[in-house]
Amino acid sequence: ERVMTQSPDTLSVSPGERATLSCRASQSVSSGLAWYQQKPGQAPRLLIYSVSTRATGIPARFSGSGSGTEFTLSISSLQSEDFAIYYCQQYDNWPLTFGQGTRLEIK
Amino acid sequence: QVQLQESGPGLVKPSETLSLTCTVSGDSISPYYWSWIRQPAGKGLEWIGRIYLPDDTIYNPSLKSRLTMSKDMSKNQISMKLSSVTAADTAVYYCARETPVPGQRWFDYWGQGTLVTVSS
């Protein structure tokens, strides 16, 4: 099983600033990496797939990068609606696994 | 617009079987892969398993011995049964559609989730 570890657990950033979230895989997941955003009481929403491809309707301030075992989600110029929990998911191997999440909070 | 709606008992007794159904509207379930994913309160996401055809399923090894997934084409529904539940199975359960892009296994549509509590 590929264990996905996200860091930090909580990230405090001011609106308008940039946030950088990390996701590390215990073994290579190639380019099989997606990112989701989850707000309280809601289902996760797909942001990024294949490491760096934005899903339909996702603003350009969201970007993904990385390869192999190290991945990054960047959010430039944070908006109020961006404060949420973010999860990475690997889909290179079974079982599909998620990171534990990074809570992005307002500083 | 594809919509998914989970349903089932909100309370299940320990050692009994948890049964959930996901009703899909806006598209047929037949050409797609469907997964169940759960989330204990305040915790992360755990992929439970996926189904394509009735005999084409992949389960999380951690749950495989207790899990059965099925599809009802006539009702456009997918279902799951998890036997011998314990308090550790208490969670919000989501059904989700896997993207139809070949070789890709991310989730483009999710249900709103249903809370299942295991307690006597």
Side-chain angles (χ1 to χ4, degrees), chain A residues 34 36 38 42-44 46 49-50 87 89 91-92 94-96 98, chain B residues 37 39 43-45 47 50 58 60-61 94 103-107 110-111:
Chain A
Y36 299 85
Q38 187 178 35
Q42 297 183 17
L46 177 70
Y49 60 90
S50 297
Y87 294 95
Q89 176 223 335
Y91 52 89
D92 183 66
W94 301 106
L96 307 181
F98 293 85
Chain B
I37 295 160
Q39 184 173 36
K43 296 188 178 181
L45 300 160
W47 176 76
R50 98 169 180 186
I58 300 177
N60 192 320
Y94 296 100
Q104 300 287 307
R105 292 188 281 270
W106 36 268
F107 303 103
W110 295 66

PDB file of all heavy atoms in Angstrom, chain A residues 34 36 38 42-44 46 49-50 87 89 91-92 94-96 98, chain B residues 37 39 43-45 47 50 58 60-61 94 103-107 110-111:
ATOM      1  N   ALA A  34      -3.800  13.102  -7.411  1.00  0.00           N
ATOM      2  CA  ALA A  34      -4.879  14.088  -7.491  1.00  0.00           C
ATOM      3  C   ALA A  34      -4.966  14.850  -6.177  1.00  0.00           C
ATOM      4  O   ALA A  34      -4.522  14.363  -5.130  1.00  0.00           O
ATOM      5  CB  ALA A  34      -6.211  13.404  -7.788  1.00  0.00           C
ATOM      6  N   TYR A  36      -7.808  17.204  -3.753  1.00  0.00           N
ATOM      7  CA  TYR A  36      -9.197  17.549  -3.495  1.00  0.00           C
ATOM      8  C   TYR A  36      -9.257  18.618  -2.415  1.00  0.00           C
ATOM      9  O   TYR A  36      -8.394  18.694  -1.541  1.00  0.00           O
ATOM     10  CB  TYR A  36      -9.981  16.323  -2.993  1.00  0.00           C
ATOM     11  CG  TYR A  36     -10.022  15.173  -3.971  1.00  0.00           C
ATOM     12  CD1 TYR A  36      -8.981  14.247  -4.020  1.00  0.00           C
ATOM     13  CD2 TYR A  36     -11.095  14.993  -4.829  1.00  0.00           C
ATOM     14  CE1 TYR A  36      -9.010  13.192  -4.907  1.00  0.00           C
ATOM     15  CE2 TYR A  36     -11.135  13.930  -5.721  1.00  0.00           C
ATOM     16  CZ  TYR A  36     -10.084  13.048  -5.758  1.00  0.00           C
ATOM     17  OH  TYR A  36     -10.123  11.993  -6.638  1.00  0.00           O
ATOM     18  N   GLN A  38     -11.926  20.051   0.581  1.00  0.00           N
ATOM     19  CA  GLN A  38     -13.134  19.718   1.325  1.00  0.00           C
ATOM     20  C   GLN A  38     -13.461  20.814   2.319  1.00  0.00           C
ATOM     21  O   GLN A  38     -12.621  21.200   3.121  1.00  0.00           O
ATOM     22  CB  GLN A  38     -12.998  18.380   2.045  1.00  0.00           C
ATOM     23  CG  GLN A  38     -14.303  17.915   2.693  1.00  0.00           C
ATOM     24  CD  GLN A  38     -14.194  16.572   3.380  1.00  0.00           C
ATOM     25  OE1 GLN A  38     -13.164  16.239   3.959  1.00  0.00           O
ATOM     26  NE2 GLN A  38     -15.265  15.787   3.332  1.00  0.00           N
ATOM     27  N   GLN A  42     -19.270  19.140   3.597  1.00  0.00           N
ATOM     28  CA  GLN A  42     -19.368  18.894   2.159  1.00  0.00           C
ATOM     29  C   GLN A  42     -18.496  17.720   1.744  1.00  0.00           C
ATOM     30  O   GLN A  42     -17.554  17.343   2.443  1.00  0.00           O
ATOM     31  CB  GLN A  42     -18.940  20.138   1.370  1.00  0.00           C
ATOM     32  CG  GLN A  42     -19.815  21.347   1.590  1.00  0.00           C
ATOM     33  CD  GLN A  42     -19.378  22.523   0.723  1.00  0.00           C
ATOM     34  OE1 GLN A  42     -18.636  22.373  -0.251  1.00  0.00           O
ATOM     35  NE2 GLN A  42     -19.864  23.708   1.075  1.00  0.00           N
ATOM     36  N   ALA A  43     -18.821  17.167   0.591  1.00  0.00           N
ATOM     37  CA  ALA A  43     -17.980  16.135   0.004  1.00  0.00           C
ATOM     38  C   ALA A  43     -16.721  16.781  -0.577  1.00  0.00           C
ATOM     39  O   ALA A  43     -16.710  17.979  -0.883  1.00  0.00           O
ATOM     40  CB  ALA A  43     -18.738  15.410  -1.105  1.00  0.00           C
ATOM     41  N   PRO A  44     -15.667  16.015  -0.717  1.00  0.00           N
ATOM     42  CA  PRO A  44     -14.475  16.535  -1.388  1.00  0.00           C
ATOM     43  C   PRO A  44     -14.793  16.962  -2.816  1.00  0.00           C
ATOM     44  O   PRO A  44     -15.689  16.418  -3.466  1.00  0.00           O
ATOM     45  CB  PRO A  44     -13.518  15.342  -1.371  1.00  0.00           C
ATOM     46  CG  PRO A  44     -13.957  14.523  -0.202  1.00  0.00           C
ATOM     47  CD  PRO A  44     -15.454  14.653  -0.197  1.00  0.00           C
ATOM     48  N   LEU A  46     -12.843  17.712  -6.529  1.00  0.00           N
ATOM     49  CA  LEU A  46     -11.611  17.517  -7.293  1.00  0.00           C
ATOM     50  C   LEU A  46     -11.043  18.863  -7.751  1.00  0.00           C
ATOM     51  O   LEU A  46     -11.758  19.689  -8.322  1.00  0.00           O
ATOM     52  CB  LEU A  46     -11.885  16.640  -8.512  1.00  0.00           C
ATOM     53  CG  LEU A  46     -10.703  16.394  -9.445  1.00  0.00           C
ATOM     54  CD1 LEU A  46      -9.668  15.486  -8.785  1.00  0.00           C
ATOM     55  CD2 LEU A  46     -11.195  15.786 -10.762  1.00  0.00           C
ATOM     56  N   TYR A  49      -5.725  16.746 -11.158  1.00  0.00           N
ATOM     57  CA  TYR A  49      -5.443  15.337 -11.413  1.00  0.00           C
ATOM     58  C   TYR A  49      -4.195  15.229 -12.277  1.00  0.00           C
ATOM     59  O   TYR A  49      -3.730  16.241 -12.846  1.00  0.00           O
ATOM     60  CB  TYR A  49      -6.632  14.619 -12.060  1.00  0.00           C
ATOM     61  CG  TYR A  49      -7.070  15.182 -13.395  1.00  0.00           C
ATOM     62  CD1 TYR A  49      -6.531  14.701 -14.581  1.00  0.00           C
ATOM     63  CD2 TYR A  49      -8.033  16.184 -13.465  1.00  0.00           C
ATOM     64  CE1 TYR A  49      -6.927  15.216 -15.796  1.00  0.00           C
ATOM     65  CE2 TYR A  49      -8.440  16.705 -14.682  1.00  0.00           C
ATOM     66  CZ  TYR A  49      -7.885  16.208 -15.839  1.00  0.00           C
ATOM     67  OH  TYR A  49      -8.282  16.726 -17.057  1.00  0.00           O
ATOM     68  N   SER A  50      -3.655  14.031 -12.372  1.00  0.00           N
ATOM     69  CA  SER A  50      -2.403  13.825 -13.104  1.00  0.00           C
ATOM     70  C   SER A  50      -1.346  14.844 -12.699  1.00  0.00           C
ATOM     71  O   SER A  50      -0.668  15.433 -13.553  1.00  0.00           O
ATOM     72  CB  SER A  50      -2.644  13.891 -14.623  1.00  0.00           C
ATOM     73  OG  SER A  50      -3.505  12.851 -15.022  1.00  0.00           O
ATOM     74  N   TYR A  87      -6.737  17.355   0.450  1.00  0.00           N
ATOM     75  CA  TYR A  87      -6.268  15.971   0.466  1.00  0.00           C
ATOM     76  C   TYR A  87      -5.598  15.622  -0.857  1.00  0.00           C
ATOM     77  O   TYR A  87      -6.097  16.001  -1.927  1.00  0.00           O
ATOM     78  CB  TYR A  87      -7.438  14.994   0.665  1.00  0.00           C
ATOM     79  CG  TYR A  87      -8.124  15.090   1.998  1.00  0.00           C
ATOM     80  CD1 TYR A  87      -9.271  15.869   2.169  1.00  0.00           C
ATOM     81  CD2 TYR A  87      -7.629  14.394   3.104  1.00  0.00           C
ATOM     82  CE1 TYR A  87      -9.899  15.955   3.401  1.00  0.00           C
ATOM     83  CE2 TYR A  87      -8.261  14.483   4.340  1.00  0.00           C
ATOM     84  CZ  TYR A  87      -9.394  15.271   4.472  1.00  0.00           C
ATOM     85  OH  TYR A  87     -10.012  15.352   5.700  1.00  0.00           O
ATOM     86  N   GLN A  89      -4.445  12.290  -3.239  1.00  0.00           N
ATOM     87  CA  GLN A  89      -4.857  10.898  -3.475  1.00  0.00           C
ATOM     88  C   GLN A  89      -3.957  10.308  -4.543  1.00  0.00           C
ATOM     89  O   GLN A  89      -3.766  10.928  -5.598  1.00  0.00           O
ATOM     90  CB  GLN A  89      -6.311  10.820  -3.950  1.00  0.00           C
ATOM     91  CG  GLN A  89      -6.765   9.403  -4.304  1.00  0.00           C
ATOM     92  CD  GLN A  89      -7.589   9.330  -5.577  1.00  0.00           C
ATOM     93  OE1 GLN A  89      -8.238  10.293  -6.000  1.00  0.00           O
ATOM     94  NE2 GLN A  89      -7.566   8.175  -6.234  1.00  0.00           N
ATOM     95  N   TYR A  91      -3.403   7.269  -7.277  1.00  0.00           N
ATOM     96  CA  TYR A  91      -4.176   6.260  -7.993  1.00  0.00           C
ATOM     97  C   TYR A  91      -3.288   5.439  -8.915  1.00  0.00           C
ATOM     98  O   TYR A  91      -3.751   4.868  -9.909  1.00  0.00           O
ATOM     99  CB  TYR A  91      -5.347   6.884  -8.752  1.00  0.00           C
ATOM    100  CG  TYR A  91      -5.019   8.041  -9.668  1.00  0.00           C
ATOM    101  CD1 TYR A  91      -4.660   7.824 -10.985  1.00  0.00           C
ATOM    102  CD2 TYR A  91      -5.087   9.351  -9.202  1.00  0.00           C
ATOM    103  CE1 TYR A  91      -4.383   8.883 -11.835  1.00  0.00           C
ATOM    104  CE2 TYR A  91      -4.808  10.418 -10.039  1.00  0.00           C
ATOM    105  CZ  TYR A  91      -4.461  10.194 -11.357  1.00  0.00           C
ATOM    106  OH  TYR A  91      -4.191  11.246 -12.191  1.00  0.00           O
ATOM    107  N   ASP A  92      -2.028   5.374  -8.575  1.00  0.00           N
ATOM    108  CA  ASP A  92      -1.098   4.557  -9.357  1.00  0.00           C
ATOM    109  C   ASP A  92      -1.176   3.087  -8.978  1.00  0.00           C
ATOM    110  O   ASP A  92      -0.835   2.200  -9.763  1.00  0.00           O
ATOM    111  CB  ASP A  92       0.325   5.075  -9.150  1.00  0.00           C
ATOM    112  CG  ASP A  92       1.344   4.317  -9.991  1.00  0.00           C
ATOM    113  OD1 ASP A  92       1.287   4.424 -11.237  1.00  0.00           O
ATOM    114  OD2 ASP A  92       2.185   3.613  -9.399  1.00  0.00           O
ATOM    115  N   TRP A  94      -3.209  -0.081  -6.287  1.00  0.00           N
ATOM    116  CA  TRP A  94      -4.274  -0.483  -5.370  1.00  0.00           C
ATOM    117  C   TRP A  94      -3.676  -0.885  -4.017  1.00  0.00           C
ATOM    118  O   TRP A  94      -2.623  -1.486  -3.970  1.00  0.00           O
ATOM    119  CB  TRP A  94      -5.040  -1.693  -5.935  1.00  0.00           C
ATOM    120  CG  TRP A  94      -5.657  -1.443  -7.256  1.00  0.00           C
ATOM    121  CD1 TRP A  94      -5.231  -1.917  -8.466  1.00  0.00           C
ATOM    122  CD2 TRP A  94      -6.814  -0.627  -7.526  1.00  0.00           C
ATOM    123  NE1 TRP A  94      -6.050  -1.458  -9.460  1.00  0.00           N
ATOM    124  CE2 TRP A  94      -7.033  -0.663  -8.914  1.00  0.00           C
ATOM    125  CE3 TRP A  94      -7.693   0.106  -6.728  1.00  0.00           C
ATOM    126  CZ2 TRP A  94      -8.089   0.012  -9.524  1.00  0.00           C
ATOM    127  CZ3 TRP A  94      -8.733   0.786  -7.333  1.00  0.00           C
ATOM    128  CH2 TRP A  94      -8.925   0.731  -8.708  1.00  0.00           C
ATOM    129  N   PRO A  95      -4.383  -0.552  -2.929  1.00  0.00           N
ATOM    130  CA  PRO A  95      -5.621   0.224  -2.884  1.00  0.00           C
ATOM    131  C   PRO A  95      -5.357   1.710  -3.090  1.00  0.00           C
ATOM    132  O   PRO A  95      -4.280   2.207  -2.774  1.00  0.00           O
ATOM    133  CB  PRO A  95      -6.132  -0.050  -1.475  1.00  0.00           C
ATOM    134  CG  PRO A  95      -4.882  -0.238  -0.674  1.00  0.00           C
ATOM    135  CD  PRO A  95      -3.932  -0.960  -1.591  1.00  0.00           C
ATOM    136  N   LEU A  96      -6.357   2.412  -3.610  1.00  0.00           N
ATOM    137  CA  LEU A  96      -6.254   3.854  -3.689  1.00  0.00           C
ATOM    138  C   LEU A  96      -6.118   4.408  -2.275  1.00  0.00           C
ATOM    139  O   LEU A  96      -6.768   3.929  -1.343  1.00  0.00           O
ATOM    140  CB  LEU A  96      -7.506   4.431  -4.344  1.00  0.00           C
ATOM    141  CG  LEU A  96      -7.899   3.835  -5.712  1.00  0.00           C
ATOM    142  CD1 LEU A  96      -9.135   4.530  -6.250  1.00  0.00           C
ATOM    143  CD2 LEU A  96      -6.747   3.918  -6.696  1.00  0.00           C
ATOM    144  N   PHE A  98      -5.373   8.034   0.318  1.00  0.00           N
ATOM    145  CA  PHE A  98      -5.396   9.480   0.486  1.00  0.00           C
ATOM    146  C   PHE A  98      -4.391   9.873   1.571  1.00  0.00           C
ATOM    147  O   PHE A  98      -4.101   9.096   2.494  1.00  0.00           O
ATOM    148  CB  PHE A  98      -6.777   9.949   0.941  1.00  0.00           C
ATOM    149  CG  PHE A  98      -7.868   9.760  -0.075  1.00  0.00           C
ATOM    150  CD1 PHE A  98      -8.541   8.544  -0.182  1.00  0.00           C
ATOM    151  CD2 PHE A  98      -8.254  10.795  -0.909  1.00  0.00           C
ATOM    152  CE1 PHE A  98      -9.559   8.370  -1.099  1.00  0.00           C
ATOM    153  CE2 PHE A  98      -9.282  10.634  -1.833  1.00  0.00           C
ATOM    154  CZ  PHE A  98      -9.934   9.415  -1.932  1.00  0.00           C
TER     155      PHE A  98
ATOM    156  N   ILE B  37     -16.206   5.450  -0.405  1.00  0.00           N
ATOM    157  CA  ILE B  37     -15.138   6.076   0.358  1.00  0.00           C
ATOM    158  C   ILE B  37     -15.743   6.506   1.684  1.00  0.00           C
ATOM    159  O   ILE B  37     -16.892   6.960   1.726  1.00  0.00           O
ATOM    160  CB  ILE B  37     -14.583   7.305  -0.412  1.00  0.00           C
ATOM    161  CG1 ILE B  37     -13.926   6.848  -1.720  1.00  0.00           C
ATOM    162  CG2 ILE B  37     -13.573   8.088   0.437  1.00  0.00           C
ATOM    163  CD1 ILE B  37     -13.777   7.955  -2.747  1.00  0.00           C
ATOM    164  N   GLN B  39     -15.204   8.404   5.761  1.00  0.00           N
ATOM    165  CA  GLN B  39     -14.454   9.417   6.503  1.00  0.00           C
ATOM    166  C   GLN B  39     -14.956   9.477   7.933  1.00  0.00           C
ATOM    167  O   GLN B  39     -16.034  10.028   8.210  1.00  0.00           O
ATOM    168  CB  GLN B  39     -14.616  10.788   5.829  1.00  0.00           C
ATOM    169  CG  GLN B  39     -13.796  11.893   6.454  1.00  0.00           C
ATOM    170  CD  GLN B  39     -13.865  13.178   5.653  1.00  0.00           C
ATOM    171  OE1 GLN B  39     -14.903  13.521   5.080  1.00  0.00           O
ATOM    172  NE2 GLN B  39     -12.756  13.896   5.588  1.00  0.00           N
ATOM    173  N   LYS B  43     -11.487  13.053  10.622  1.00  0.00           N
ATOM    174  CA  LYS B  43     -10.341  12.316  10.089  1.00  0.00           C
ATOM    175  C   LYS B  43     -10.319  12.345   8.564  1.00  0.00           C
ATOM    176  O   LYS B  43     -11.124  13.003   7.928  1.00  0.00           O
ATOM    177  CB  LYS B  43     -10.369  10.883  10.613  1.00  0.00           C
ATOM    178  CG  LYS B  43     -10.214  10.798  12.128  1.00  0.00           C
ATOM    179  CD  LYS B  43     -10.041   9.368  12.600  1.00  0.00           C
ATOM    180  CE  LYS B  43      -9.839   9.316  14.103  1.00  0.00           C
ATOM    181  NZ  LYS B  43      -9.653   7.916  14.597  1.00  0.00           N
ATOM    182  N   GLY B  44      -9.362  11.614   8.011  1.00  0.00           N
ATOM    183  CA  GLY B  44      -9.167  11.623   6.566  1.00  0.00           C
ATOM    184  C   GLY B  44     -10.042  10.625   5.838  1.00  0.00           C
ATOM    185  O   GLY B  44     -10.920   9.982   6.410  1.00  0.00           O
ATOM    186  N   LEU B  45      -9.774  10.498   4.560  1.00  0.00           N
ATOM    187  CA  LEU B  45     -10.578   9.683   3.662  1.00  0.00           C
ATOM    188  C   LEU B  45      -9.976   8.296   3.490  1.00  0.00           C
ATOM    189  O   LEU B  45      -8.763   8.146   3.347  1.00  0.00           O
ATOM    190  CB  LEU B  45     -10.655  10.373   2.289  1.00  0.00           C
ATOM    191  CG  LEU B  45     -11.289  11.760   2.306  1.00  0.00           C
ATOM    192  CD1 LEU B  45     -10.887  12.555   1.072  1.00  0.00           C
ATOM    193  CD2 LEU B  45     -12.812  11.651   2.392  1.00  0.00           C
ATOM    194  N   TRP B  47     -10.506   4.876   1.086  1.00  0.00           N
ATOM    195  CA  TRP B  47     -11.161   4.229  -0.041  1.00  0.00           C
ATOM    196  C   TRP B  47     -11.568   2.810   0.374  1.00  0.00           C
ATOM    197  O   TRP B  47     -10.762   2.061   0.930  1.00  0.00           O
ATOM    198  CB  TRP B  47     -10.211   4.181  -1.228  1.00  0.00           C
ATOM    199  CG  TRP B  47     -10.741   3.458  -2.416  1.00  0.00           C
ATOM    200  CD1 TRP B  47     -11.660   3.897  -3.314  1.00  0.00           C
ATOM    201  CD2 TRP B  47     -10.363   2.144  -2.840  1.00  0.00           C
ATOM    202  NE1 TRP B  47     -11.888   2.944  -4.271  1.00  0.00           N
ATOM    203  CE2 TRP B  47     -11.106   1.855  -4.007  1.00  0.00           C
ATOM    204  CE3 TRP B  47      -9.491   1.188  -2.347  1.00  0.00           C
ATOM    205  CZ2 TRP B  47     -10.989   0.655  -4.686  1.00  0.00           C
ATOM    206  CZ3 TRP B  47      -9.359  -0.018  -3.023  1.00  0.00           C
ATOM    207  CH2 TRP B  47     -10.111  -0.275  -4.182  1.00  0.00           C
ATOM    208  N   ARG B  50     -14.331  -0.590  -5.168  1.00  0.00           N
ATOM    209  CA  ARG B  50     -14.971  -0.119  -6.381  1.00  0.00           C
ATOM    210  C   ARG B  50     -15.603  -1.267  -7.140  1.00  0.00           C
ATOM    211  O   ARG B  50     -15.204  -2.426  -7.014  1.00  0.00           O
ATOM    212  CB  ARG B  50     -13.975   0.615  -7.267  1.00  0.00           C
ATOM    213  CG  ARG B  50     -13.414  -0.217  -8.370  1.00  0.00           C
ATOM    214  CD  ARG B  50     -12.639   0.586  -9.373  1.00  0.00           C
ATOM    215  NE  ARG B  50     -12.143  -0.340 -10.399  1.00  0.00           N
ATOM    216  CZ  ARG B  50     -11.324   0.007 -11.367  1.00  0.00           C
ATOM    217  NH1 ARG B  50     -10.906   1.241 -11.458  1.00  0.00           N
ATOM    218  NH2 ARG B  50     -10.937  -0.873 -12.244  1.00  0.00           N
ATOM    219  N   ILE B  58     -12.924  -4.393  -6.954  1.00  0.00           N
ATOM    220  CA  ILE B  58     -11.642  -4.313  -6.255  1.00  0.00           C
ATOM    221  C   ILE B  58     -11.939  -3.745  -4.883  1.00  0.00           C
ATOM    222  O   ILE B  58     -12.573  -2.689  -4.768  1.00  0.00           O
ATOM    223  CB  ILE B  58     -10.626  -3.420  -6.991  1.00  0.00           C
ATOM    224  CG1 ILE B  58     -10.351  -3.971  -8.400  1.00  0.00           C
ATOM    225  CG2 ILE B  58      -9.316  -3.362  -6.201  1.00  0.00           C
ATOM    226  CD1 ILE B  58      -9.408  -3.119  -9.215  1.00  0.00           C
ATOM    227  N   ASN B  60     -10.592  -2.755  -0.845  1.00  0.00           N
ATOM    228  CA  ASN B  60      -9.467  -2.454   0.020  1.00  0.00           C
ATOM    229  C   ASN B  60      -9.147  -3.719   0.841  1.00  0.00           C
ATOM    230  O   ASN B  60     -10.050  -4.261   1.487  1.00  0.00           O
ATOM    231  CB  ASN B  60      -9.802  -1.279   0.939  1.00  0.00           C
ATOM    232  CG  ASN B  60      -8.594  -0.722   1.659  1.00  0.00           C
ATOM    233  OD1 ASN B  60      -7.721  -1.454   2.108  1.00  0.00           O
ATOM    234  ND2 ASN B  60      -8.549   0.588   1.775  1.00  0.00           N
ATOM    235  N   PRO B  61      -7.919  -4.174   0.809  1.00  0.00           N
ATOM    236  CA  PRO B  61      -7.583  -5.392   1.570  1.00  0.00           C
ATOM    237  C   PRO B  61      -7.952  -5.318   3.042  1.00  0.00           C
ATOM    238  O   PRO B  61      -8.252  -6.343   3.653  1.00  0.00           O
ATOM    239  CB  PRO B  61      -6.063  -5.508   1.387  1.00  0.00           C
ATOM    240  CG  PRO B  61      -5.788  -4.808   0.109  1.00  0.00           C
ATOM    241  CD  PRO B  61      -6.769  -3.672   0.053  1.00  0.00           C
ATOM    242  N   TYR B  94     -19.327   7.922   1.560  1.00  0.00           N
ATOM    243  CA  TYR B  94     -19.572   8.578   0.281  1.00  0.00           C
ATOM    244  C   TYR B  94     -19.554   7.547  -0.848  1.00  0.00           C
ATOM    245  O   TYR B  94     -18.727   6.622  -0.833  1.00  0.00           O
ATOM    246  CB  TYR B  94     -18.483   9.597  -0.038  1.00  0.00           C
ATOM    247  CG  TYR B  94     -18.374  10.772   0.885  1.00  0.00           C
ATOM    248  CD1 TYR B  94     -17.412  10.809   1.889  1.00  0.00           C
ATOM    249  CD2 TYR B  94     -19.202  11.891   0.722  1.00  0.00           C
ATOM    250  CE1 TYR B  94     -17.287  11.906   2.718  1.00  0.00           C
ATOM    251  CE2 TYR B  94     -19.074  12.995   1.549  1.00  0.00           C
ATOM    252  CZ  TYR B  94     -18.115  12.998   2.547  1.00  0.00           C
ATOM    253  OH  TYR B  94     -17.993  14.101   3.369  1.00  0.00           O
ATOM    254  N   GLY B 103      -7.281   4.551 -17.474  1.00  0.00           N
ATOM    255  CA  GLY B 103      -6.047   4.576 -16.701  1.00  0.00           C
ATOM    256  C   GLY B 103      -6.005   5.611 -15.602  1.00  0.00           C
ATOM    257  O   GLY B 103      -5.018   5.695 -14.855  1.00  0.00           O
ATOM    258  N   GLN B 104      -7.049   6.375 -15.477  1.00  0.00           N
ATOM    259  CA  GLN B 104      -7.102   7.408 -14.449  1.00  0.00           C
ATOM    260  C   GLN B 104      -8.110   6.982 -13.390  1.00  0.00           C
ATOM    261  O   GLN B 104      -9.208   6.538 -13.725  1.00  0.00           O
ATOM    262  CB  GLN B 104      -7.522   8.746 -15.062  1.00  0.00           C
ATOM    263  CG  GLN B 104      -6.576   9.251 -16.139  1.00  0.00           C
ATOM    264  CD  GLN B 104      -5.279   9.763 -15.555  1.00  0.00           C
ATOM    265  OE1 GLN B 104      -5.282  10.606 -14.663  1.00  0.00           O
ATOM    266  NE2 GLN B 104      -4.166   9.256 -16.055  1.00  0.00           N
ATOM    267  N   ARG B 105      -7.788   7.176 -12.132  1.00  0.00           N
ATOM    268  CA  ARG B 105      -8.691   6.704 -11.079  1.00  0.00           C
ATOM    269  C   ARG B 105      -8.917   7.789 -10.039  1.00  0.00           C
ATOM    270  O   ARG B 105      -8.749   7.562  -8.834  1.00  0.00           O
ATOM    271  CB  ARG B 105      -8.131   5.426 -10.459  1.00  0.00           C
ATOM    272  CG  ARG B 105      -8.150   4.244 -11.414  1.00  0.00           C
ATOM    273  CD  ARG B 105      -7.772   2.965 -10.719  1.00  0.00           C
ATOM    274  NE  ARG B 105      -6.319   2.852 -10.548  1.00  0.00           N
ATOM    275  CZ  ARG B 105      -5.500   2.285 -11.431  1.00  0.00           C
ATOM    276  NH1 ARG B 105      -5.989   1.776 -12.551  1.00  0.00           N
ATOM    277  NH2 ARG B 105      -4.210   2.204 -11.184  1.00  0.00           N
ATOM    278  N   TRP B 106      -9.271   8.955 -10.514  1.00  0.00           N
ATOM    279  CA  TRP B 106      -9.677  10.005  -9.588  1.00  0.00           C
ATOM    280  C   TRP B 106     -11.183  10.175  -9.700  1.00  0.00           C
ATOM    281  O   TRP B 106     -11.816   9.651 -10.599  1.00  0.00           O
ATOM    282  CB  TRP B 106      -8.935  11.317  -9.890  1.00  0.00           C
ATOM    283  CG  TRP B 106      -8.663  11.601 -11.327  1.00  0.00           C
ATOM    284  CD1 TRP B 106      -7.546  11.267 -12.035  1.00  0.00           C
ATOM    285  CD2 TRP B 106      -9.517  12.291 -12.252  1.00  0.00           C
ATOM    286  NE1 TRP B 106      -7.661  11.698 -13.348  1.00  0.00           N
ATOM    287  CE2 TRP B 106      -8.855  12.331 -13.501  1.00  0.00           C
ATOM    288  CE3 TRP B 106     -10.787  12.882 -12.145  1.00  0.00           C
ATOM    289  CZ2 TRP B 106      -9.400  12.938 -14.614  1.00  0.00           C
ATOM    290  CZ3 TRP B 106     -11.326  13.493 -13.265  1.00  0.00           C
ATOM    291  CH2 TRP B 106     -10.641  13.513 -14.475  1.00  0.00           C
ATOM    292  N   PHE B 107     -11.755  10.931  -8.764  1.00  0.00           N
ATOM    293  CA  PHE B 107     -13.198  10.958  -8.609  1.00  0.00           C
ATOM    294  C   PHE B 107     -13.766  12.319  -8.986  1.00  0.00           C
ATOM    295  O   PHE B 107     -13.418  13.338  -8.390  1.00  0.00           O
ATOM    296  CB  PHE B 107     -13.576  10.598  -7.166  1.00  0.00           C
ATOM    297  CG  PHE B 107     -13.032   9.264  -6.761  1.00  0.00           C
ATOM    298  CD1 PHE B 107     -11.918   9.173  -5.948  1.00  0.00           C
ATOM    299  CD2 PHE B 107     -13.614   8.097  -7.230  1.00  0.00           C
ATOM    300  CE1 PHE B 107     -11.394   7.945  -5.592  1.00  0.00           C
ATOM    301  CE2 PHE B 107     -13.097   6.855  -6.884  1.00  0.00           C
ATOM    302  CZ  PHE B 107     -11.988   6.791  -6.067  1.00  0.00           C
ATOM    303  N   TRP B 110     -19.218  13.114  -6.531  1.00  0.00           N
ATOM    304  CA  TRP B 110     -19.374  12.561  -5.196  1.00  0.00           C
ATOM    305  C   TRP B 110     -20.810  12.759  -4.719  1.00  0.00           C
ATOM    306  O   TRP B 110     -21.449  13.752  -5.063  1.00  0.00           O
ATOM    307  CB  TRP B 110     -18.464  13.282  -4.201  1.00  0.00           C
ATOM    308  CG  TRP B 110     -17.002  13.124  -4.424  1.00  0.00           C
ATOM    309  CD1 TRP B 110     -16.262  13.592  -5.481  1.00  0.00           C
ATOM    310  CD2 TRP B 110     -16.067  12.490  -3.553  1.00  0.00           C
ATOM    311  NE1 TRP B 110     -14.940  13.277  -5.307  1.00  0.00           N
ATOM    312  CE2 TRP B 110     -14.784  12.604  -4.137  1.00  0.00           C
ATOM    313  CE3 TRP B 110     -16.183  11.832  -2.326  1.00  0.00           C
ATOM    314  CZ2 TRP B 110     -13.633  12.084  -3.540  1.00  0.00           C
ATOM    315  CZ3 TRP B 110     -15.041  11.324  -1.727  1.00  0.00           C
ATOM    316  CH2 TRP B 110     -13.782  11.448  -2.338  1.00  0.00           C
ATOM    317  N   GLY B 111     -21.281  11.838  -3.918  1.00  0.00           N
ATOM    318  CA  GLY B 111     -22.517  12.073  -3.207  1.00  0.00           C
ATOM    319  C   GLY B 111     -22.272  13.005  -2.041  1.00  0.00           C
ATOM    320  O   GLY B 111     -21.132  13.375  -1.748  1.00  0.00           O
TER     321      GLY B 111
END
